[in-house]
Short mmCIF file of all heavy atoms in Angstrom, two decimals:
data_model
loop_
_atom_site.label_atom_id
_atom_site.label_comp_id
_atom_site.label_asym_id
_atom_site.label_seq_id
_atom_site.Cartn_x
_atom_site.Cartn_y
_atom_site.Cartn_z
N PHE I 415 83.68 90.78 77.98
CA PHE I 415 82.52 91.38 78.64
C PHE I 415 82.91 92.73 79.23
O PHE I 415 83.99 92.89 79.80
CB PHE I 415 82.05 90.44 79.75
CG PHE I 415 80.80 90.90 80.43
CD1 PHE I 415 79.56 90.54 79.92
CD2 PHE I 415 80.84 91.67 81.58
CE1 PHE I 415 78.38 90.96 80.54
CE2 PHE I 415 79.68 92.09 82.21
CZ PHE I 415 78.44 91.74 81.68
N LEU I 416 82.03 93.73 79.14
CA LEU I 416 82.32 95.04 79.73
C LEU I 416 81.30 95.33 80.82
O LEU I 416 80.11 95.48 80.56
CB LEU I 416 82.29 96.12 78.65
CG LEU I 416 83.33 95.95 77.54
CD1 LEU I 416 83.24 97.09 76.54
CD2 LEU I 416 84.74 95.88 78.12
N MET I 417 81.79 95.40 82.02
CA MET I 417 80.97 95.69 83.20
C MET I 417 80.32 97.06 83.09
O MET I 417 80.91 97.99 82.57
CB MET I 417 81.86 95.77 84.43
CG MET I 417 82.44 94.49 84.87
SD MET I 417 81.29 93.59 85.88
CE MET I 417 81.29 94.60 87.37
N MET I 418 79.15 97.18 83.68
CA MET I 418 78.55 98.47 83.99
C MET I 418 78.06 99.26 82.78
O MET I 418 77.66 100.39 82.92
CB MET I 418 79.53 99.36 84.77
CG MET I 418 79.88 98.76 86.10
SD MET I 418 81.20 99.64 86.92
CE MET I 418 82.60 99.21 85.93
N LEU I 419 78.11 98.66 81.60
CA LEU I 419 77.57 99.38 80.45
C LEU I 419 76.10 99.01 80.29
O LEU I 419 75.63 97.96 80.71
CB LEU I 419 78.35 99.05 79.17
CG LEU I 419 79.81 99.49 79.19
CD1 LEU I 419 80.38 99.50 77.79
CD2 LEU I 419 79.97 100.88 79.80
N ARG I 420 75.36 99.93 79.65
CA ARG I 420 73.92 99.83 79.64
C ARG I 420 73.40 98.76 78.67
O ARG I 420 72.50 98.03 78.98
CB ARG I 420 73.36 101.22 79.26
CG ARG I 420 71.88 101.39 79.39
CD ARG I 420 71.41 101.37 80.81
NE ARG I 420 69.95 101.50 80.83
CZ ARG I 420 69.18 101.02 81.78
NH1 ARG I 420 69.70 100.36 82.81
NH2 ARG I 420 67.88 101.18 81.73
N ASP I 421 73.97 98.68 77.47
CA ASP I 421 73.34 97.79 76.48
C ASP I 421 74.29 96.70 75.99
O ASP I 421 74.68 96.68 74.84
CB ASP I 421 72.73 98.58 75.32
CG ASP I 421 73.54 99.84 74.99
OD1 ASP I 421 74.71 99.90 75.41
OD2 ASP I 421 73.01 100.73 74.32
N SER I 422 74.61 95.81 76.89
CA SER I 422 75.47 94.62 76.66
C SER I 422 76.54 94.85 75.59
O SER I 422 76.56 94.19 74.56
CB SER I 422 74.65 93.37 76.33
OG SER I 422 73.41 93.71 75.77
N GLN I 423 77.37 95.79 75.86
CA GLN I 423 78.51 96.05 75.00
C GLN I 423 79.64 95.07 75.32
O GLN I 423 79.72 94.55 76.42
CB GLN I 423 79.03 97.46 75.26
CG GLN I 423 78.05 98.53 74.92
CD GLN I 423 78.34 99.14 73.56
OE1 GLN I 423 78.86 98.45 72.68
NE2 GLN I 423 78.00 100.38 73.41
N TYR I 424 80.49 94.84 74.34
CA TYR I 424 81.69 94.05 74.61
C TYR I 424 82.80 94.50 73.67
O TYR I 424 82.53 95.22 72.69
CB TYR I 424 81.42 92.55 74.45
CG TYR I 424 80.85 92.16 73.10
CD1 TYR I 424 81.69 91.87 72.02
CD2 TYR I 424 79.47 92.06 72.90
CE1 TYR I 424 81.17 91.52 70.78
CE2 TYR I 424 78.94 91.72 71.66
CZ TYR I 424 79.80 91.45 70.60
OH TYR I 424 79.29 91.11 69.38
N ILE I 425 84.03 94.11 74.00
CA ILE I 425 85.15 94.37 73.09
C ILE I 425 85.30 93.14 72.20
O ILE I 425 85.47 92.03 72.72
CB ILE I 425 86.46 94.61 73.86
CG1 ILE I 425 86.40 95.94 74.62
CG2 ILE I 425 87.66 94.58 72.91
CD1 ILE I 425 87.63 96.24 75.46
N ASN I 426 85.21 93.34 70.92
CA ASN I 426 85.39 92.23 69.99
C ASN I 426 86.83 92.28 69.48
O ASN I 426 87.18 93.15 68.69
CB ASN I 426 84.40 92.36 68.83
CG ASN I 426 84.51 91.18 67.88
OD1 ASN I 426 85.29 90.24 68.13
ND2 ASN I 426 83.74 91.21 66.80
N LEU I 427 87.66 91.34 69.94
CA LEU I 427 89.08 91.40 69.61
C LEU I 427 89.37 91.08 68.16
O LEU I 427 90.44 91.39 67.66
CB LEU I 427 89.87 90.46 70.53
CG LEU I 427 89.95 90.86 71.99
CD1 LEU I 427 90.57 89.75 72.82
CD2 LEU I 427 90.75 92.15 72.15
N GLU I 428 88.44 90.41 67.49
CA GLU I 428 88.75 90.07 66.10
C GLU I 428 87.79 90.70 65.09
O GLU I 428 87.52 90.10 64.05
CB GLU I 428 88.83 88.55 65.92
CG GLU I 428 87.64 87.80 66.44
CD GLU I 428 87.77 86.28 66.21
OE1 GLU I 428 88.58 85.86 65.37
OE2 GLU I 428 87.04 85.53 66.88
N GLY I 429 87.29 91.86 65.40
CA GLY I 429 86.42 92.52 64.43
C GLY I 429 85.82 93.76 65.04
O GLY I 429 86.26 94.23 66.09
N GLY I 430 84.80 94.28 64.37
CA GLY I 430 84.17 95.50 64.85
C GLY I 430 83.40 95.25 66.14
O GLY I 430 82.88 94.16 66.37
N ASP I 431 83.33 96.25 66.99
CA ASP I 431 82.55 96.13 68.22
C ASP I 431 81.07 96.28 67.90
O ASP I 431 80.70 96.83 66.86
CB ASP I 431 82.98 97.22 69.20
CG ASP I 431 84.39 96.99 69.70
OD1 ASP I 431 84.78 95.82 69.86
OD2 ASP I 431 85.10 97.99 69.91
N PRO I 432 80.21 95.78 68.78
CA PRO I 432 78.78 95.96 68.56
C PRO I 432 78.46 97.46 68.55
O PRO I 432 79.16 98.24 69.20
CB PRO I 432 78.14 95.29 69.77
CG PRO I 432 79.20 95.28 70.81
CD PRO I 432 80.50 95.16 70.08
N ASN I 433 77.47 97.82 67.86
CA ASN I 433 77.11 99.23 67.78
C ASN I 433 75.60 99.35 68.01
O ASN I 433 74.84 99.59 67.09
CB ASN I 433 77.52 99.77 66.41
CG ASN I 433 77.39 101.27 66.34
OD1 ASN I 433 77.17 101.94 67.35
ND2 ASN I 433 77.49 101.82 65.14
N PRO I 434 75.16 99.14 69.24
CA PRO I 434 73.74 99.09 69.52
C PRO I 434 73.08 100.43 69.23
O PRO I 434 73.71 101.48 69.42
CB PRO I 434 73.68 98.78 71.02
CG PRO I 434 74.97 99.28 71.56
CD PRO I 434 75.96 99.11 70.48
N PRO I 435 71.84 100.42 68.72
CA PRO I 435 71.17 101.68 68.41
C PRO I 435 71.02 102.52 69.68
O PRO I 435 70.63 102.00 70.73
CB PRO I 435 69.81 101.25 67.87
CG PRO I 435 69.61 99.87 68.38
CD PRO I 435 70.96 99.26 68.54
N ARG I 436 71.37 103.77 69.59
CA ARG I 436 71.23 104.66 70.75
C ARG I 436 70.46 105.92 70.37
O ARG I 436 70.77 107.02 70.84
CB ARG I 436 72.60 104.99 71.34
CG ARG I 436 73.16 103.81 72.11
CD ARG I 436 74.34 104.19 72.94
NE ARG I 436 74.77 103.06 73.77
CZ ARG I 436 75.98 102.96 74.29
NH1 ARG I 436 76.88 103.88 74.07
NH2 ARG I 436 76.28 101.92 75.04
N ASP I 437 69.48 105.72 69.50
CA ASP I 437 68.66 106.85 69.10
C ASP I 437 67.89 107.41 70.29
O ASP I 437 67.49 108.58 70.29
CB ASP I 437 67.64 106.41 68.04
CG ASP I 437 68.32 105.76 66.86
OD1 ASP I 437 69.50 106.11 66.61
OD2 ASP I 437 67.70 104.89 66.22
N HIS I 438 67.69 106.57 71.28
CA HIS I 438 66.89 106.99 72.44
C HIS I 438 67.75 107.61 73.54
O HIS I 438 67.28 107.88 74.63
CB HIS I 438 66.17 105.77 73.02
CG HIS I 438 67.13 104.76 73.59
ND1 HIS I 438 68.08 104.13 72.82
CD2 HIS I 438 67.28 104.28 74.85
CE1 HIS I 438 68.78 103.31 73.58
NE2 HIS I 438 68.32 103.39 74.82
N VAL I 439 69.05 107.80 73.23
CA VAL I 439 69.95 108.37 74.25
C VAL I 439 70.33 109.79 73.85
O VAL I 439 70.61 110.06 72.68
CB VAL I 439 71.21 107.50 74.41
CG1 VAL I 439 72.12 108.07 75.49
CG2 VAL I 439 70.83 106.06 74.73
N PHE I 440 70.33 110.68 74.84
CA PHE I 440 70.66 112.07 74.57
C PHE I 440 71.79 112.54 75.48
O PHE I 440 71.94 112.07 76.60
CB PHE I 440 69.44 112.97 74.79
CG PHE I 440 68.27 112.58 73.95
CD1 PHE I 440 67.19 111.91 74.51
CD2 PHE I 440 68.28 112.84 72.58
CE1 PHE I 440 66.13 111.53 73.72
CE2 PHE I 440 67.22 112.45 71.78
CZ PHE I 440 66.13 111.79 72.34
N TYR I 441 72.54 113.48 74.92
CA TYR I 441 73.56 114.16 75.72
C TYR I 441 72.95 115.47 76.19
O TYR I 441 72.52 116.29 75.39
CB TYR I 441 74.80 114.41 74.87
CG TYR I 441 75.84 115.25 75.55
CD1 TYR I 441 76.60 114.75 76.61
CD2 TYR I 441 76.09 116.56 75.14
CE1 TYR I 441 77.56 115.52 77.23
CE2 TYR I 441 77.06 117.34 75.75
CZ TYR I 441 77.79 116.81 76.80
OH TYR I 441 78.75 117.57 77.42
N LEU I 442 72.89 115.63 77.50
CA LEU I 442 72.22 116.78 78.08
C LEU I 442 73.21 117.61 78.88
O LEU I 442 74.00 117.06 79.65
CB LEU I 442 71.12 116.25 79.02
CG LEU I 442 70.00 117.20 79.43
CD1 LEU I 442 69.08 117.48 78.25
CD2 LEU I 442 69.19 116.57 80.58
N THR I 443 73.21 118.94 78.70
CA THR I 443 73.99 119.80 79.60
C THR I 443 73.00 120.72 80.30
O THR I 443 71.96 121.07 79.74
CB THR I 443 75.04 120.65 78.85
OG1 THR I 443 74.35 121.52 77.96
CG2 THR I 443 75.98 119.79 78.04
N PHE I 444 73.33 121.10 81.53
CA PHE I 444 72.37 121.83 82.36
C PHE I 444 73.09 122.61 83.46
O PHE I 444 74.30 122.39 83.68
CB PHE I 444 71.37 120.85 82.99
CG PHE I 444 72.01 119.57 83.42
CD1 PHE I 444 72.72 119.50 84.62
CD2 PHE I 444 71.95 118.43 82.62
CE1 PHE I 444 73.32 118.32 85.01
CE2 PHE I 444 72.57 117.24 83.01
CZ PHE I 444 73.25 117.18 84.21
N PRO I 445 72.41 123.50 84.15
CA PRO I 445 73.06 124.27 85.24
C PRO I 445 73.48 123.32 86.36
O PRO I 445 72.83 122.30 86.58
CB PRO I 445 71.96 125.21 85.74
CG PRO I 445 70.87 125.15 84.73
CD PRO I 445 70.99 123.87 84.00
N LYS I 446 74.54 123.71 87.06
CA LYS I 446 75.07 122.77 88.05
C LYS I 446 74.17 122.61 89.27
O LYS I 446 74.39 121.71 90.09
CB LYS I 446 76.51 123.10 88.43
CG LYS I 446 76.76 124.32 89.29
CD LYS I 446 78.23 124.28 89.77
CE LYS I 446 78.53 125.39 90.75
NZ LYS I 446 78.58 126.71 90.11
N GLU I 447 73.12 123.43 89.37
CA GLU I 447 72.18 123.26 90.48
C GLU I 447 71.24 122.07 90.23
O GLU I 447 70.57 121.60 91.14
CB GLU I 447 71.31 124.52 90.65
CG GLU I 447 72.09 125.74 91.14
CD GLU I 447 72.99 126.33 90.05
OE1 GLU I 447 72.65 126.21 88.85
OE2 GLU I 447 74.06 126.88 90.42
#
Side-chain angles (χ1 to χ4, degrees):
Chain I
F415 185 87
L416 298 182
M417 290 277 290
M418 297 171 289
L419 296 197
R420 188 69 182 152
D421 34 18
S422 26
Q423 296 261 31
Y424 56 87
I425 291 178
N426 183 3
L427 291 171
E428 51 179 342
D431 292 325
N433 190 9
R436 285 192 174 159
D437 305 333
H438 65 299
V439 181
F440 302 105
Y441 173 71
L442 198 71
T443 63
F444 39 80
K446 72 169 186 288
E447 292 73 29

